[in-house]
Amino acid sequence: MVKGNARCIPENPDAILLPYQSAWIKDPSILKLMEKGRQIGLSWATAYAADERTAAAGARHDQWVSSRDEIQSRLFLEDCKLWANIMHKAARDLGEIVLDVDRKISAHVLEFASGKRIYSMSSNPDAQAGKRGGRILDEFALHPDPRKLWAIAYPGITWGGAMEVISTHRGSKNFFNDLIREVREGGNPKNISLHRVTLEDALSQGFLFKLQQMLPADDKRQAMNETEYFDFVRAGCADEESFLQEYMCVPGDDDAAFLEYELISSAEYGQGEDWQTCQNGRLYAGVDIGRKKDLTVLWVVERLGDVLYTRHVETLARMRKSEQEKVLYPWFARCDRVCIDQTGLGIGWTDDAQDKFGSCHVEGVTFTPAVKEALAYPLRSLMEDRRLRIPADKAIRADLRQVTKQTTAAGNIRFTAERTPDGHADRFWALSLALHAASHPTPKTEVISGGAREIISEMRGFL
């Protein structure tokens, strides 16, 4: 037995694999696709299958693993090392090996006595080019360009091996969802073997029991049954759309949302990337005001060249105005320009901030349908042009997804968002205001009225 991380694993892997894990790793299909809920042990089980194939006597193929980032690539190889130990397979950790100096491509490598290796890499699709052997594309939908990754990885199995695609959803217009719909609705021309495991499926097959074996004795989940755990996970999600997508294999509707998941993901910082350190560029801030029902959100961006980098996001809830000012005013002083939502509660906020910092430093923007339209489209344009970077945060992602564009019977465009316990798309509007603040280096005092024409004019100066 191997002990570690509060778990005791028997030498026979079949004794600990749940039915959906066994069904996945025993499927011999050349093309396999797993549509799954978050954190139900599929990557871990896949690591076992990769070891078994690579360590077998007479093994003919290496395994090339693509993870969403550097951290995940290391974690996958750690799972491979754990399974090698359990199965008593001789394996040597070769550490990180540089595969292409010019393109800065490297992989974490585990070599078996068979002479074959598992290469675990991050998401760069070019790393797959020219490599022969099996493919494991983990968290496929979260890659910056899933279609390109498939296109480059697929030829690698021409001379043998299989390709396994594993992922949760990331919007209805993601290539991952295109593949699933092709299987279910398009006659399955690629002959993909499709698996689907939701959180509900996993719980019905014993997932909670396995989880409780690994948790500390005092963890409150130890006392939960399957229904209670399901409700616990659901309540902890940013919103219902996030729960359905992350755990129930229901892709978010990109036709309803103003910002598609793929577009949001393309703007996010990578995991572990330092995004809060300023680089001596000019800072701009947007503030959406709330008190009881909604949040007060401060969003700070730094302009470096023609790209705006998020440097700080502050959310304040149920705080007196004077207490909020103690948090926000130091940032106002650091920024070149600040735009505040002066609708409702924001009128007093804008007046006080202008008295302290000056009307050229602080601009108030009154939210009307026309102004919201003028603020929302530049946000989307910057994402499409890869000129905006934002944190990879589930609450931010959910807020950006809440905003929908609707056309009234009169042909007018309205931007709406459902109010949730975590606000009313407050982060979306704070970010939009920060981008407006950055749209012109010297704000004009007449824009304080928040007129849509003035906002569009200034945005053109930056966009």
Side-chain angles (χ1 to χ4, degrees):
M1 293 187 183
V2 177
K3 296 183 178 181
N5 297 325
R7 58 182 165 184
C8 183
I9 301 176
E11 294 184 4
N12 177 14
D14 288 335
I16 61 169
L17 291 174
L18 296 169
Y20 61 86
Q21 294 171 318
S22 293
W24 172 248
I25 66 176
K26 292 178 181 178
D27 183 345
S29 302
I30 294 176
L31 289 177
K32 298 194 299 182
L33 189 149
M34 170 60 75
E35 177 190 19
K36 72 179 187 69
R38 180 74 64 193
Q39 293 294 320
I40 57 173
L42 259 304
S43 297
W44 184 64
T46 302
Y48 161 73
D51 277 16
E52 190 174 47
R53 289 192 297 268
T54 315
R60 300 176 58 189
H61 308 295
D62 293 324
Q63 301 295 310
W64 298 88
V65 185
S66 177
S67 299
R68 66 183 181 189
D69 53 45
E70 180 70 17
I71 293 175
Q72 290 302 119
S73 70
R74 290 201 303 267
L75 290 176
F76 187 89
L77 204 72
E78 288 299 317
D79 285 340
C80 291
K81 288 165 61 178
L82 173 65
W83 279 116
N85 190 20
I86 294 169
M87 296 187 291
H88 306 295
K89 301 293 185 182
R92 186 161 59 107
D93 186 352
L94 301 182
E96 187 173 10
I97 293 179
V98 176
L99 303 176
D100 189 319
V101 175
D102 293 336
R103 290 185 291 180
K104 298 180 180 179
I105 296 173
S106 62
H108 300 277
V109 183
L110 191 66
E111 184 178 65
F112 290 85
S114 65
K116 296 303 176 182
R117 299 176 174 182
I118 296 175
Y119 295 84
S120 186
M121 306 174 290
S122 59
S123 60
N124 187 344
D126 293 333
Q128 297 283 337
K131 315 294 192 303
R132 295 182 182 179
R135 295 297 196 271
I136 298 171
L137 310 182
D138 197 16
E139 289 298 3
F140 180 73
L142 275 64
H143 285 256
D145 192 341
R147 187 182 298 273
K148 180 179 179 181
L149 178 61
W150 177 284
I152 296 178
Y154 175 68
I157 63 172
T158 300
W159 297 94
M163 188 159 83
E164 303 171 71
V165 175
I166 307 161
S167 192
T168 53
H169 277 283
R170 189 59 81 238
S172 60
K173 293 185 177 180
N174 192 286
F175 181 62
F176 178 66
N177 192 50
D178 291 344
L179 291 170
I180 292 171
R181 293 191 61 184
E182 191 178 77
V183 173
R184 294 187 177 135
E185 305 167 15
N188 195 14
K190 294 181 177 63
N191 197 28
I192 293 172
S193 176
L194 178 62
H195 297 242
R196 182 177 186 268
V197 184
T198 67
L199 173 62
E200 194 171 30
D201 296 329
L203 289 171
S204 70
Q205 296 182 41
F207 170 74
L208 181 59
F209 174 73
K210 295 297 184 182
L211 175 65
Q212 289 170 336
Q213 287 183 311
M214 300 176 66
L215 294 173
D218 59 351
D219 191 291
K220 67 178 182 180
R221 288 167 290 183
Q222 293 286 9
M224 293 181 184
N225 59 31
E226 279 75 10
T227 299
E228 291 167 339
Y229 180 77
F230 183 88
D231 292 340
F232 167 78
V233 171
R234 188 174 194 171
C237 288
D239 54 29
E240 184 66 10
E241 183 188 54
S242 298
F243 170 72
L244 291 174
Q245 176 160 259
E246 299 294 330
Y247 292 95
M248 297 301 292
C249 300
V250 179
D253 185 358
D254 284 327
D255 289 322
F258 179 62
L259 299 176
E260 298 91 347
Y261 267 108
E262 189 170 352
L263 186 61
I264 295 172
S265 297
S266 70
E268 291 178 340
Y269 287 98
Q271 186 172 352
E273 188 173 352
D274 178 17
W275 61 272
Q276 295 177 298
T277 301
C278 297
Q279 304 294 323
N280 298 319
R282 300 181 69 180
L283 299 177
Y284 303 91
V287 184
D288 191 51
I289 300 298
R291 175 67 188 276
K292 293 183 178 179
K293 292 183 179 179
D294 300 329
L295 302 171
T296 290
V297 179
L298 167 75
W299 196 297
V300 179
V301 297
E302 180 182 18
R303 182 194 290 173
L304 297 174
D306 64 350
V307 180
L308 291 170
Y309 296 83
T310 299
R311 295 306 185 200
H312 187 76
V313 180
E314 188 84 44
T315 57
L316 306 172
R318 298 179 179 86
M319 292 173 60
R320 294 175 61 87
K321 180 174 180 288
S322 58
E323 294 301 311
Q324 293 190 43
E325 288 174 348
K326 291 178 182 178
V327 177
L328 303 185
Y329 275 5
W331 281 103
F332 285 17
R334 292 183 61 185
C335 292
D336 283 16
R337 189 182 183 200
V338 179
C339 288
I340 300 177
D341 163 24
Q342 68 174 7
T343 312
L345 288 173
I347 295 175
W349 267 92
T350 302
D351 289 344
D352 291 346
Q354 287 180 342
D355 288 344
K356 185 173 181 64
F357 297 100
S359 59
C360 288
H361 189 85
V362 176
E363 174 192 346
V365 178
T366 301
F367 280 179
T368 65
V371 168
K372 283 188 173 182
E373 180 180 353
L375 291 172
Y377 276 108
L379 191 164
R380 179 168 181 155
S381 295
L382 286 167
M383 283 188 171
E384 290 172 340
D385 295 341
R386 303 295 192 267
R387 295 167 61 197
L388 174 64
R389 302 296 302 280
I390 63 174
D393 177 88
K394 67 177 183 179
I396 290 173
R397 194 179 300 122
D399 250 21
L400 297 183
R401 287 285 297 176
Q402 278 185 31
V403 175
T404 61
K405 184 185 74 171
Q406 301 176 357
T407 304
T408 67
N412 299 315
I413 294 176
R414 295 177 62 244
F415 286 86
T416 62
E418 179 183 356
R419 177 171 274 108
T420 71
D422 195 35
H424 193 215
D426 307 302
R427 296 172 184 85
F428 178 98
W429 295 115
L431 172 57
S432 297
L433 287 165
L435 302 184
H436 171 48
S439 66
H440 200 286
T442 54
K444 300 175 183 179
T445 56
E446 64 265 28
V447 181
I448 292 173
S449 64
R453 183 176 302 171
E454 290 87 344
I455 292 177
I456 293 173
S457 176
E458 289 202 1
M459 279 297 183
R460 284 172 179 163
F462 177 68
L463 298 175

